[in-house]
Amino acid sequence: MAEKLTPREKGFSEWYVDLVQKAKLADYSDVKGCMVIRPNGYALWENIQRVMDKMFKDTGVKNAYFPLLIPESYLKKEAEHVEGFNPQLAVVTHAGGQKLEEPLVIRPTSETIINRSFSKWIQSYRDLPLLVNQWANVMRWEMRTRLFLRTTEFLWQEGHTCHETEADAEERTLQMLEVYRTFAEDYMAMPVLPGRKSESEKFAGALRTYSIEAMMQDKKALQAGTSHNLGQNFAKAFDTTFQGRDGRVHHVWQTSWGSSTRLIGGLILTHSDDSGLIVPPKIAATHVVIIPIVGKATDVEKTQVLEKSHALAADLRKAGLGVVVDDDESKGPGFKYNEHELIGTCLRIELGPKDLAKGSCVMVRRDLRQKEFVPLDEAAAKAQTMLDQMQKDLFQKAKDFRDSHTFEVNSYEEMKARAEDGFLLAHWDGDPKTEARIKEETGLTTRCRPFSLKQEPGKCVMTGNPSQGRIVFSKAY
């Protein structure tokens, strides 16, 4: 039950693990580093998929599927790529009782094997742009794992596109980053900073990488989605070419972009409290629980309350809401309240004989936990209004938290002193060696250079060398 969750102030990491397990979102697997996503957690992923999938398709993207196993030689074709992923690779060397002629890598990402297909599918500029996405699992061998946030196997989507020009690829890269921003803010109620990653933090094999960065309740950053302009690196490695409008042969320009079940971890860490999960209504599986209060009711009263509860549930479902009538008589009302707060049901409606006699019910928003008496004939409309307001309030609360924990720092001493305080906006000279030293000495990493952050020249907080502008430093997941 919720009272058994470790309070956030006593142990934020312990609270997170308690919540994930007790809200029945995920569990540990017997395979080290892997997780079992339980129905409550998978329902969230299904809703994330459903919304994102439509957003992708609205930009012209179509879904496909590519193999899980990738010939090892494919990864070696792009040197920077294989170097970046080599420590995380899981390799199949035997199958069917025999040693394979060539080892097969379990998909860490699919740029290489997808390019093999693109090189066959693309002949002319008329075949461009080619826009595909796949919903899949990937494997990256992780030494330190945490449910949803970092696991050896996880679920994600990866989009891959091919274009005639670098400008077209850059436009698509930024377009998909904006899709991620819109989803994070409008659906997950999670404010993010879209911006460009540093050269050290970019995707292995990309020209440029962009990300959306969110702040969690412990003031750490979470990279919630990335979009990469791959340039022609993979196209040249796999000879992915097309005959251009000028009659000459050109290599395509490419993008890739991805987000994963890490978003569920981000949702938990952004909104939830010591009583359990809080889910923004736009991606919740269950919006409303109706709890009949019939413990001391007569048989007639009980029948009336249950009938009205199910009738109200039907009205709410007509409005497109996920509704549960919790009429399990083996559990008391207090137990049910705690249980539904723990699993993150957005809105609770209590209805008993006295409420029925007054023509009213009690409504309680999960995030506020305050009772409100509502006329029964207004209950369906009021529920939608409360859910809409909850969605807005969750975003505003998270944004206010992020903004109040974002600071400019103007010296290395100040940076070190404020390392735990949130997002630090600091001048940096752009040198990867400076970046690495800051990370080693403070635990802070560059997150992104936000598009919204006005860039003015200054001096690097560590070296004093010229800086073109400030970038976000933070501790991160």
Side-chain angles (χ1 to χ4, degrees):
M1 292 302 299
E3 62 265 26
K4 294 181 182 179
L5 294 180
T6 302
R8 287 165 293 176
E9 289 187 0
K10 288 189 177 181
F12 195 81
S13 294
E14 293 83 355
W15 163 80
Y16 175 81
V17 173
D18 282 352
L19 195 158
V20 169
Q21 292 191 281
K22 290 173 182 174
K24 299 179 180 179
L25 298 173
D27 201 357
Y28 292 101
S29 165
D30 290 340
V31 180
K32 186 179 180 181
C34 295
M35 65 175 171
V36 176
I37 304 176
R38 301 185 66 176
N40 285 357
Y42 202 80
L44 292 173
W45 182 238
E46 285 180 312
N47 284 344
I48 290 170
Q49 272 189 300
R50 175 180 52 80
V51 175
M52 269 197 182
D53 197 62
K54 183 179 185 304
M55 294 175 78
F56 296 158
K57 287 173 179 172
D58 285 346
T59 73
V61 173
K62 295 181 179 179
N63 285 334
Y65 186 79
F66 298 86
L68 172 71
L69 298 174
I70 301 173
E72 189 178 51
S73 59
Y74 283 22
L75 271 76
K76 292 180 178 178
K77 282 177 177 285
E78 213 292 323
E80 186 181 350
H81 188 66
V82 70
E83 182 181 351
F85 278 101
N86 200 47
Q88 296 178 304
L89 298 181
V91 184
V92 178
T93 58
H94 290 73
Q98 296 182 348
K99 186 176 181 179
L100 299 176
E101 290 184 12
E102 178 181 359
L104 299 172
V105 173
I106 299 176
R107 169 177 56 212
T109 181
S110 299
E111 278 74 13
T112 57
I113 198 163
I114 286 178
N115 258 279
R116 182 69 186 93
S117 292
F118 284 173
S119 67
K120 293 189 291 182
W121 298 348
I122 298 169
Q123 306 298 326
S124 161
Y125 69 88
R126 295 183 181 86
D127 299 321
L128 300 172
L130 179 58
L131 315 172
V132 299
N133 172 68
Q134 75 167 345
W135 294 94
N137 62 336
V138 291
M139 182 165 284
R140 298 177 182 177
W141 214 258
E142 298 284 357
M143 301 307 295
R144 301 177 64 184
T145 60
R146 188 176 298 181
L147 296 170
F148 288 117
L149 296 171
R150 191 174 294 278
T151 51
T152 296
E153 181 193 16
F154 55 93
L155 303 181
W156 79 343
Q157 57 74 211
E158 52 177 320
H160 298 266
T161 70
C162 295
H163 305 270
E164 288 185 67
T165 68
E166 181 179 7
D168 289 344
E170 183 72 1
E171 182 181 2
R172 170 60 61 166
T173 304
L174 296 175
Q175 179 184 18
M176 301 318 294
L177 188 74
E178 176 60 15
V179 169
Y180 290 144
R181 184 206 64 78
T182 301
F183 175 77
E185 297 196 339
D186 291 359
Y187 288 87
M188 291 190 62
M190 182 173 72
V192 294
L193 293 177
R196 183 173 170 179
K197 302 289 278 187
S198 71
E199 286 297 300
S200 299
E201 292 286 330
K202 75 177 183 180
F203 179 74
L207 283 185
R208 291 178 288 278
T209 289
Y210 303 90
S211 68
I212 53 170
E213 302 286 335
M215 182 185 288
M216 305 294 96
Q217 290 182 60
D218 60 352
K219 295 174 280 188
K220 288 183 180 178
L222 184 81
Q223 181 176 286
T226 52
S227 189
H228 318 286
N229 185 331
L230 300 178
Q232 295 178 312
N233 292 341
F234 291 93
K236 289 177 179 178
F238 287 85
D239 198 28
T240 310
T241 60
F242 67 99
Q243 185 176 36
R245 298 171 193 270
D246 58 3
R248 298 168 57 192
V249 175
H250 303 270
H251 287 96
V252 298
W253 297 85
Q254 292 181 278
T255 80
S256 68
W257 26 276
S259 63
S260 73
T261 39
R262 162 176 273 225
L263 288 171
I264 297 173
L267 180 153
I268 297 164
L269 291 168
T270 300
H271 300 301
S272 301
D273 62 18
D274 290 348
S275 295
L277 184 66
I278 295 177
V279 184
K282 282 189 177 182
I283 56 168
T286 304
H287 299 99
V288 182
V289 59
I290 301 174
I291 300 179
I293 312 297
V294 293
K296 297 181 181 180
T298 65
D299 289 344
V300 172
E301 289 173 332
K302 179 179 175 181
T303 299
Q304 291 173 335
V305 168
L306 290 174
E307 286 179 351
K308 186 59 183 177
S309 295
H310 285 283
L312 177 56
D315 289 341
L316 292 166
R317 290 188 185 108
K318 287 177 185 176
L321 300 179
V323 187
V324 172
V325 178
D326 192 343
D327 54 6
D328 184 350
E329 294 186 29
S330 69
K331 302 174 183 176
F335 184 95
K336 293 178 182 180
Y337 300 163
N338 289 335
E339 186 173 48
H340 284 280
E341 286 181 354
L342 175 61
I343 64 175
T345 306
C346 300
L347 185 65
R348 182 174 84 233
I349 299 178
E350 304 166 17
L351 184 61
K354 291 181 180 179
D355 301 306
L356 206 56
K358 296 176 184 177
S360 68
C361 63
V362 175
M363 289 190 173
V364 182
R365 249 173 62 177
R366 168 63 185 88
D367 56 326
L368 300 180
R369 303 173 72 198
Q370 297 173 352
K371 291 190 174 187
E372 186 172 345
F373 294 91
V374 177
L376 273 171
D377 57 1
E378 300 174 13
K382 180 66 173 178
Q384 189 62 66
T385 300
M386 291 176 77
L387 291 169
D388 291 344
Q389 191 61 47
M390 178 179 172
Q391 182 79 28
K392 294 175 184 176
D393 290 351
L394 288 176
F395 175 78
Q396 192 60 49
K397 181 181 178 182
K399 185 176 184 299
D400 290 345
F401 180 84
R402 183 197 68 188
D403 292 349
S404 66
H405 293 92
T406 301
F407 311 96
E408 285 190 0
V409 294
N410 296 300
S411 71
Y412 193 45
E413 291 305 313
E414 186 182 9
M415 172 179 269
K416 288 189 286 187
R418 306 207 73 159
E420 305 285 345
D421 290 355
F423 285 176
L424 306 182
L425 309 179
H427 279 288
W428 164 55
D429 60 16
D431 188 338
K433 293 180 181 178
T434 305
E435 186 181 11
R437 185 178 159 196
I438 291 173
K439 179 179 180 179
E440 182 181 351
E441 295 181 4
T442 68
L444 297 167
T445 57
T446 57
R447 304 317 308 157
C448 72
R449 198 180 297 276
F451 301 141
S452 60
L453 185 62
K454 186 179 179 181
Q455 294 297 315
E456 296 177 339
K459 293 183 178 181
C460 176
V461 290
M462 171 173 271
T463 65
N465 293 331
S467 162
Q468 294 182 350
R470 295 180 188 268
I471 192 167
V472 177
F473 283 87
S474 178
K475 294 195 172 181
Y477 284 95

